[in-house]
Amino acid sequence: SLWKGCYNHFRFFVKNSCTCAEVDIELCRKFRSYLLSAHQFRDPKRPLAYGTIYNYYLKFRSLLHNAYRDHVIDENLALQVEHMAHKTTRREFLTPSELRTLSRTPCDIGVLKRASLFSCETGLRLSDIAALEWENIVPNIEGTGYNMRIRTVKTDEEGLLPLSDTALQLCGPRSTGTVFKGFTRSMTDRPLKRWLEDTGITKRITFHSFRHTYAVLQLASGTSIYTVSKMLMHKSIRSTEIYLDLLEETKLETVGHISIHIDPEICDE
């Protein structure tokens, strides 16, 4: 959660030692500066996204306000610390034709292609795809098709999500352990860029853009926003509504359900 993330970074910043008496305007300003240059704990080479920094800082200022309200600190430092500008992040996604192009373009790393198309088909985050195991893929209670038992890495939310036939095909032959064996975060940097360059797609597409692709194309095809919200495992439907705005902004016409061309060879690894 955001509270936990903010707490972990503050604890790291103060080296696990800070009393209420030590919390002053100077410390708050230094923590703000720290956040702006902080990196992810799980991947120290990757800086925190600005949106994450902004939300952590909001939580920190809220904590300062509550501490003053509850007489834990003597000054309302929340009113004294500088604000952080809110920046709207452009959410890029693939159009139906671009997704078909991507699915037809060969990729040097088969598991990267399968994981990427799986994200487009399910909306799962990179971290959840990397952690997905075969024991998480279970038969539907009705006896037709399969579901995924998911506990998200980012939000620790639990859910039982249906798997389409295409998504199941992208998983490859049933085995044990990790579904996308050999898939690593490093593949989503330069290897992903090379694959996208081969497609001729010029948008700034990241792996997370595949999650956006799923959301926008599902909404464009007429899927209920409540269903999409559940599939994305959003805590609030307000988080899903941003895709309605994006859909309106791009004027994407209603399309059929997500269509992906699958090369049988890449699913037989």
Side-chain angles (χ1 to χ4, degrees), residues 81-258:
V81 294
E82 292 83 353
H83 289 265
M84 191 175 287
H86 178 63
K87 299 177 183 177
T88 302
T89 303
R90 171 71 182 180
R91 290 176 170 83
E92 293 288 7
F93 66 93
L94 298 173
T95 64
S97 61
E98 289 169 337
L99 180 53
R100 285 191 291 271
T101 297
L102 183 74
S103 65
R104 289 187 169 92
T105 302
C107 178
D108 293 338
I109 305 175
V111 70
L112 170 61
K113 182 172 185 177
R114 290 194 297 116
S116 301
L117 297 180
F118 187 82
S119 182
C120 292
E121 186 70 24
T122 63
L124 283 193
R125 299 180 180 91
L126 189 161
S127 55
D128 295 323
I129 292 175
L132 185 65
E133 297 196 350
W134 280 107
E135 66 180 24
N136 303 133
I137 297 179
V138 296
N140 190 302
I141 194 171
E142 297 175 357
T144 57
Y146 286 81
N147 293 329
M148 294 182 292
R149 282 202 187 99
I150 292 292
R151 177 184 288 274
T152 62
V153 174
K154 182 176 180 180
T155 62
D156 202 34
E157 293 287 300
E158 288 188 44
L160 186 66
L161 308 177
L163 265 181
S164 68
D165 291 340
T166 301
L168 186 61
Q169 187 181 351
L170 287 165
C171 292
R174 191 170 185 95
S175 180
T176 57
T178 305
V179 174
F180 294 95
K181 290 180 172 62
F183 177 57
T184 62
R185 186 177 291 273
S186 63
M187 292 177 183
T188 65
D189 289 327
R190 187 56 198 160
L192 177 59
K193 290 178 182 177
R194 284 199 301 268
W195 181 31
L196 288 165
E197 287 169 358
D198 290 342
T199 68
I201 297 171
T202 58
K203 293 177 180 175
R204 188 180 179 280
I205 298 295
T206 65
F207 194 91
H208 201 67
S209 300
F210 301 141
R211 178 172 167 86
H212 300 328
T213 297
Y214 169 83
V216 173
L217 297 192
Q218 285 289 351
L219 290 170
S221 69
T223 304
S224 161
I225 188 172
Y226 299 100
T227 300
V228 175
S229 185
K230 182 178 179 181
M231 289 298 294
L232 294 175
M233 297 185 72
H234 282 158
K235 289 185 176 181
S236 168
I237 200 165
R238 287 184 299 175
S239 299
T240 319
E241 288 173 349
I242 60 171
Y243 295 110
L244 288 176
D245 295 336
L246 188 59
L247 190 60
E248 174 63 23
E249 176 189 331
T250 57
K251 300 296 189 291
L252 185 66
E253 295 181 357
T254 300
V255 296
H257 286 287
I258 295 173

Side-chain angles (χ1 to χ4, degrees), residues 20 23-26 28-29 57-83:
C20 292
V23 179
D24 57 16
I25 189 64
E26 186 63 23
C28 294
R29 286 170 175 163
Y57 192 60
L58 284 183
K59 293 298 183 185
F60 179 65
R61 293 183 68 225
S62 177
L63 179 62
L64 292 175
H65 173 77
N66 292 343
Y68 173 72
R69 180 199 62 195
D70 297 337
H71 309 292
V72 175
I73 58 178
D74 296 331
E75 296 181 86
N76 192 350
L77 298 173
L79 299 178
Q80 299 180 41
V81 294
E82 292 83 353
H83 289 265

